[in-house]
Amino acid sequence: VKVAVLISGGGTNLQSLIDSSEKGYFSSEIKLVISNRPDAYGLTRAKNHHIKTAVLDRATYPEGKDRDLKLLEMLQQEEIDLVVLAGYLAIIPQKIIEKYRNRIINIHPSLLPSFGGKGFYGRKVHEEVIKRGVKITGATVHFVNEETDGGPIIFQEAVKVDFDDTVDTIQEKVLAIEHQLLPRAVKLYEEGLLVVIDDRVKI
Ligand code: GRF
């Protein structure tokens, strides 16, 4: 399976995918890493492993439709089968969601549907977790559909929230889970074990 990974930031989830690939944990090949931010450290991680990179940022592509078209062109040019959003903070165009129905997976740092949807990303998620005083949080891997963080859920894993936890300590615990769940999702996908029935994933 040919995989494209879309990032916006540090790329620790990308790194866990690269490490899993190099360890032979899954046979899928990470063909392409695309960032919407030229300064994303994840681009450096990709280059360190000789993976093709591309930047689709507003400065280079001011027109959203040009950016969307370029994204679709790149995915098709590299014959991508599976798109993985790993800390990607831009919206996936409708045309791509349709073309890659149940072939785009996203990792979100909460137990969806809690703390998901517009405006809930990165540290903001953990700030709300603390504010709300929930006793467990975690990570969710799901297929991407038209609704932000709303697609069929593939995996979830929970972690306890302690009273003295901070955004940093929660992020650390949740990232550790993300780094486990995302490679597992790619492996199950390539083994054809992720079946979607009536918008629910049967593993
Ligand atoms: C993190 O907040 C992670 O929870 C979410 O995206 C952000 C960046 O992750 N999935 P990464 O280190 O760039 O993979």
Side-chain angles (χ1 to χ4, degrees):
V1 167
K2 295 188 174 78
V3 176
V5 183
L6 274 51
I7 61 167
S8 298
T12 63
N13 277 289
L14 166 65
Q15 190 64 54
S16 69
L17 291 171
I18 292 171
D19 296 345
S20 301
S21 168
E22 292 183 348
K23 277 192 307 231
Y25 173 69
F26 52 68
S27 57
S28 294
E29 184 188 358
I30 303 171
K31 294 282 289 178
L32 178 61
V33 170
I34 302 173
S35 174
N36 69 321
R37 299 233 331 249
D39 59 344
Y41 183 67
L43 291 167
T44 304
R45 295 179 189 272
K47 288 171 188 158
N48 290 345
H49 292 267
H50 316 296
I51 297 169
K52 185 184 282 190
T53 61
V55 176
L56 285 179
D57 59 324
R58 285 183 191 285
T60 318
Y61 298 90
E63 281 301 308
K65 59 182 182 308
D66 296 344
R67 205 161 54 239
D68 295 348
L69 200 61
K70 186 71 182 162
L71 175 56
L72 183 56
E73 273 171 17
M74 284 198 274
L75 296 177
Q76 291 176 323
Q77 194 180 344
E78 296 296 329
E79 299 172 329
I80 297 301
D81 305 297
L82 177 67
V83 179
V84 178
L85 309 186
Y88 187 64
L89 297 179
I91 299 296
I92 299 294
Q94 175 64 23
K95 200 164 25 170
I96 292 184
I97 288 175
E98 281 161 10
K99 227 169 174 43
Y100 290 86
R101 180 74 58 188
N102 296 331
R103 296 195 291 146
I104 307 174
I105 60 178
N106 181 44
I107 177 91
H108 182 80
S110 76
L111 296 175
L112 292 176
S114 298
F115 306 106
K118 284 206 184 334
F120 281 100
Y121 52 83
R123 298 178 63 85
K124 171 89 176 124
V125 171
H126 308 311
E127 284 164 12
E128 291 304 307
V129 159
I130 291 172
K131 201 184 292 180
R132 186 66 188 81
V134 295
K135 301 308 176 190
I136 57 165
T137 188
T140 302
V141 180
H142 63 95
F143 283 117
V144 170
N145 66 4
E146 289 72 7
E147 191 193 336
T148 303
D149 298 332
I153 290 173
I154 297 168
F155 283 137
Q156 292 189 300
E157 190 171 318
V159 68
K160 271 176 59 56
V161 180
D162 303 316
F163 185 79
D164 54 1
D165 262 323
T166 64
V167 169
D168 286 336
T169 58
I170 294 176
Q171 180 163 56
E172 195 179 334
K173 290 194 261 190
V174 172
L175 271 173
I177 293 173
E178 293 178 42
H179 298 161
Q180 300 297 320
L181 292 191
L182 203 48
R184 273 175 57 201
V186 172
K187 185 174 175 62
L188 287 188
Y189 180 88
E190 74 179 18
E191 291 168 353
L193 297 177
L194 295 186
V195 179
V196 182
I197 300 169
D198 296 334
D199 275 346
R200 286 193 310 133
V201 179
K202 180 175 182 293
I203 293 177

